[in-house]
Structures are given as C-alpha cells and as structure tokens.
Amino acid sequence: MTYTFSDRLGNLAPSAIREILKATSQPGIIPFAAGNPAPEAFPVRAVREISARLLAERPVDCLQYGITEGYTPLRLRVRGDLKNRLQIGAGFDDLIVTSGAQQVIDLAAKALCNEGDVVIAESPSFIGALNTFRSYGARLRGVPLQADGLDVDALEEILRTEKNVRFLYTIPNYQNPSGVTMSPEKRRRVYELARQYGVLILEDNPYGELRYEGEALPCIKSFDTDGIVIYAGSFSKILSPGLRVGYVLAPAPLIAKMTVGKQASDVHTPVFNQMIVDEWMRNYDVAAHVKEICGIYTAKRDLMCGGLAGTALRFRRPAGGLFLWCELPEGIGMLDYARRAVERKVAVVPGVAFAVEQSDSINAVRLNFSTPTDEQLKQGVEILRGM
Amino acid sequence: MTYTFSDRLGNLAPSAIREILKATSQPGIIPFAAGNPAPEAFPVRAVREISARLLAERPVDCLQYGITEGYTPLRLRVRGDLKNRLQIGAGFDDLIVTSGAQQVIDLAAKALCNEGDVVIAESPSFIGALNTFRSYGARLRGVPLQADGLDVDALEEILRTEKNVRFLYTIPNYQNPSGVTMSPEKRRRVYELARQYGVLILEDNPYGELRYEGEALPCIKSFDTDGIVIYAGSFSKILSPGLRVGYVLAPAPLIAKMTVGKQASDVHTPVFNQMIVDEWMRNYDVAAHVKEICGIYTAKRDLMCGGLAGTALRFRRPAGGLFLWCELPEGIGMLDYARRAVERKVAVVPGVAFAVEQSDSINAVRLNFSTPTDEQLKQGVEILRGM
C-alpha cells in the first residue's frame, strides 16, 4: 500500500530538535541540546502529597470526564494569578486550560489560519511553534532579532507589504532560542503596530518566571485594551512539563473558537493533572519554589557562561530562561560544529533548526544549561573549549 | 475588534452533546444524555496505590518531558495485549500513545484529509469524530446502519461514485449512538471493499471490552494483511476517561506521519498518566476489573431496557457499550421529545446530533445507562414512561 498524506503534513518533518534529543538521549551524552527542567527543580514532595490527598478525598473527580474549557477552580485561580502578578486579563478576556502551551499555539493557528495566510515570527524562533504553523499551511515571515528584541522596522515593513497576516508570534521574555528579552519600548511599539495593521499577537511566555536578573517587564498583553493579544502560559517550566498543563488568556470570541478546536483535538486536558496544579497553587508557596529554581538555574547559567568565555562562541548572557545562543565565527559551520560536538559526546542544536524562512542566515548553536548536572556542565564546557 | 476565523473552524459549532451536558449537569437532572463511566466503575484503590508508588520511586520520570511516541513500556505492553487479546498488530504496524482516542481521530484526519476530501461514516455516528472530520474540511458521506452493521451495498455505491475518499470511519462494536454490532460477515466484506477501492479504514473500538452478551467478534484490523486499517483504542471506558490515555495501531508510515502531527499538537501525552496505565496493566487484574464493570453495566442496561419496554420508544437491547438508541414513532418529534424530557428533569440527546449528512432522516433519542445511579435509572425511566 502506498499512502498519500494531506498537504499540511505531507512535507512536515519531525522537529529536528526532538530527533536530536532521541538520538542523543543515551547515557554518556552530555545534554546541551534539550530544554528539560533540572531533575532537582521538581516540587516532588508537593506533588506526592497533593496526589495522595486528591485520590483519597475526591478520586472520582480525578478520573471522570471533564469539560473542554478546563477544571473551573484552576481557570479561576490562574485568572486571578495573572491579574495580580502580571496585571493582565480584561473584562473581554476569557481563559481555558490547555494540554501545555504547545496546544495554545496549535489552537491559535487552527482557529485563525487558512492555507497560505501569513504568520510572522522572530527569527530565529521556537521550532515547535514554527512547525505547528507550517502544519496549517501558514506562510512564515521572519523578523530579525536584535539585542533588545525584534527589529520593529523590519516588522513594520512586513506588515505594510504582506496581505493576510494573521498574527505575530513572539516570545518577549528570554526568547527561545536566542535568550533575548524585548525592551519595554519595543513591547509597546509592537503592540501599536499590530493594532495599526489589524493583526493579532500571540504572546508566548513559558520562561517569564525564570528571571535571574533585571526587573520584570510588562507583558504585551498588559497593553491590550483592543482585544488583539492571545497570551499563552504554561506550568511546564515551573512545575512539570510531563503533566502537560498550560493555558490561554484571550478575548472571549477567540477563546470560544479555540475551545471548539480543542474539543475536536483531545476533548479536554486530563482532570487529575489540572487538579494537581490547582492544589499546588492553592496550598503551596509557588513564589518560593520559583525563587529556588531560579537559584539553581542562575548557577548553571553562570557555570556555562563562565566556562565558555574566551572561546570562539559569541554569546550574550541571558537574563533568564534556559538557553544560550552561541554564534560561530566565519569558517566554522554550525552543522559541522554540532556534528563534531556530538562525536565528543556533547549534544548541541544547530541554529538552522530555528530558521523561520529558508533565506534566514544563521550560523549558531543553541546550548541549554538547565538539563545537564553541574558535573556535566563542567565536562561539556571543557569539551567545547577544546574544539 | 472583529475577529476572522479560519474556514475550518469558522462554521464549526461546539458539540451539541457537550453543550447539552453542560446545560444539564446541574444537580437534580437525571443524566441519560452523558456517556460517562459509572462512579463505582473506577479502580480507585489501584490508581491510588500506583500513584503513590510511582511518585515515591520515580518522581522525576513522572514529571519530566517524554517522547512524542509515548512511554515505551506502555507502548510495548499495549502491543502485546492487542496481539494476545485481539490478534491484531502485524510486522508492518507500529503503535503510539495518544491523548485519548479522540486524538487518534484528530491525527488521522490531520494526516490524511485535504479540504474537500471525503470521509465515510456510519449514519448516525459519534459526533466527536464527525466534528473533527469537519474541522479539517472533510466532506462527510453517511452509510445507513442496519441491525447487523452498516449497509454494505450503500457503502459500495459511495465508494464507486465518490472521488477522493480517504477513509471509512467505523465503530464495529456497540456503535455510538446506535448500539449496533457489525456482524463478522460484514466486517470481512467492509475490509474487502476498502481494499478493492484503495480506501483506508479507521476502526474505533472504545467499547469493545464492554461486552454483556454474545461472543467476541474479530476486529476489522485482524484481517489487515494489506496495511489499510488504523485501529483506535482507549482506556477511557475501562480505566478512566479523565486521564486521557488512548492509542493507535496502524502501518508504520501512517504512525510516523501521525507522530509528526501529534508533536505539533501537544508534544506528548502526560507521562505520569501513561505510567499509571502501564502499572495498572502490569500489576493488576485488568480482566477481572473489566468483568466487574460489565456486571455493573449489564444490570444498568437491563434496568433501562426493562423499564422502557412497552413505551413508544422502539429500541434494540445493545449487546454491549453504553447507549440505547430509541426511535420515536411518527407524530413525536425528537427535538420536542428531548425538550419535554428535560422539562421533566431527564436529559436525553436528540438523534439529529449524530447526523452525518444534512439529508439524514433521523427521529430518535440516545439514552445512556452508565452514568445514572440505579435510583436515577428507575426514576428517569418512570418519567419517560409517563411522557
């Protein structure tokens, strides 16, 4: 039998990163390619206590069908938290729980993009999002990143010349893969441009709480008086990625359509998992936990940055997040560099994986400092120093 | 701001059933509209023990990222189980874990259907599947159901006349909503027709284990020497729907493409949930549990069927599954009947919700006997008798 696939998935390859991860997950490989939380960063005791209590007191609620919008106490709690902590969420907004923030990206594209519609993204950007946009037949346009966020002139040029732009996808805090943080001025300018050109913004903020220095900056969503920003959040980086609990805050008509899309995708996010997150937020000191893991990651970041200083790799020390974006000098190709690193048992991701358009000029590798142990960090950095 | 949605979701309404469920979930309403497992059918003690053990012994595995294909021990265990129990799974097949069987339906359509492609389904059929096919712009063609399964002549007529048929969606065991079981002869004939016309089959088997009488019949997948059958399975009806763990067994090239699609949808199914299912299969007597819940549901089915005998509702007693499909006599309209039932505090689903094509002629209601307590069953039946 010869199988014929849909146009949308026919040409889509598996995420290069996840393939690299599979190839390099055997023991003995130093994992600078992943993006996993550190094993010591999980609130294990809390999850253990919560699970035992939930399954003792309300087992049927944990195991029964739920509603597509999500577990109501969690929805209310997250809305309150976003209001208090980030000053986001207007009267016209609504919030649903999703199966990780990846599903927010999926549902936004599903609800908004017809084949050939344009999605704008920072270049380079998160491959998981780019592949999802591609899976809906969206045409991607990339806006180059600068030290303080995307090039707003380049963004405006695209907005002026492209028809059928549906939204800008942006990660303003500690961007993946670049580590760049968008300045407050640019956040405001990006919002104004989107408003002017009638384009939505998908603001993805998985790393916002992993802030190691500098002040917390306002979300783009906090400017949203016009109902044009879809805000994606996640518990993957502060609680657990394996539980797959994220959420989306957006104007109610968008949420209603995304809910219909979610119903057709997976009915609802597992109830037990949502209840675990809800109890964690309700009964545990989340801020203290975040502070603790920020301490862990600050030390790991400094180990990596300190070790790589003075090498051929050019990077800026990220103020938060999980990644170091290392540009390579002319004469050292990223694919060759990544291959040689793996031969020496260090897995890194060649930057081309994060290209938005084929014409993007990238010669860099992405390193992750949250996954390796301190010992692996020292060893891996030493190996890269010797290359 | 006026929002413009994609063509695929623009016209898709929320599932009528889930809307009815939300409207009728308040206390005091007798739930004949749902499809939930009975509260007493959950293996609560087992899940409690398993969760405690997993979080004590391997907490980081439970909470860390997993791979898109699913938790490897569970994939192997389910493959073995399908081989032993159902004699399905060939050398060319592969299996991945999904976020419920709903996601299998989603991924199959995502991987196979372009806008305007035809999907064939039994008429009436599961609204959750039909809406998913619609969300990919598929054009639905319905094959009328008979007492022993779909009308194979009508199926052949569609296969002969329609271009671009991608697959037949069928629930051979205790079909939702009709309760019909496809005869072994028809299963074979459906397979041969699909082979002859070069069309795939999506065999959805969520209820197969809920068999209350009669012999177990061979899955269509068990005939699959040609690699044309996609088999969707689920733990929702025998363990827990809230955990959202299902799986798909299909030829490896299809599985590879569905895996790419899943990566773009939700990265992976929660690891903790997959581990719970795996431990349950490994250390507990699943067959005994299934036997126990079949006992519960047989009693509930008989309560409902016995109580409704002699009323205007015409139904066949289903040999398994969760639903009773009740046809109404001329002169009683299903929408009016459903409205009057709700006024009397009994929620039922008007059959039109399960229509495949607009021209489908349906005058029936679907009743569910797994969700109500025995007391609710008696009360609800009494109310329907009085209508």
Side-chain angles (χ1 to χ4, degrees), chain A residues 55-89:
Chain A
L55 289 172
E57 294 171 4
R58 305 165 55 200
V60 173
D61 292 343
C62 297
L63 300 176
Q64 190 55 281
Y65 273 116
I67 59 172
T68 302
E69 290 82 352
Y71 180 61
T72 305
L74 179 61
R75 292 174 66 199
L76 297 173
R77 199 174 309 284
V78 173
R79 273 217 72 156
D81 175 64
L82 293 177
K83 196 85 186 166
N84 293 335
R85 197 164 47 79
L86 302 177
Q87 293 78 53
I88 62 176

Side-chain angles (χ1 to χ4, degrees), chain A residues 3-37:
Chain A
Y3 304 102
T4 314
F5 296 108
S6 63
D7 297 338
R8 79 180 68 79
L9 288 193
N11 294 314
L12 194 67
S15 150
I17 294 182
R18 296 200 73 82
E19 293 306 301
I20 288 171
L21 287 183
K22 264 197 284 183
T24 60
S25 62
Q26 61 265 43
I29 296 279
I30 294 174
F32 288 0
N36 292 7

Side-chain angles (χ1 to χ4, degrees), chain B residues 100-101 204-206 209 231-238 240 244-247:
Chain B
D204 191 9
N205 193 21
E209 287 161 276
Y231 178 91
S234 170
F235 291 95
S236 289
K237 302 303 185 286
I238 60 166
S240 153
R244 312 298 309 132
V245 180
Y247 51 88

Side-chain angles (χ1 to χ4, degrees), chain A residues 46-58:
Chain A
V47 174
R48 206 178 277 150
E49 290 169 359
I50 293 165
S51 296
R53 198 178 322 120
L54 287 172
L55 289 172
E57 294 171 4
R58 305 165 55 200

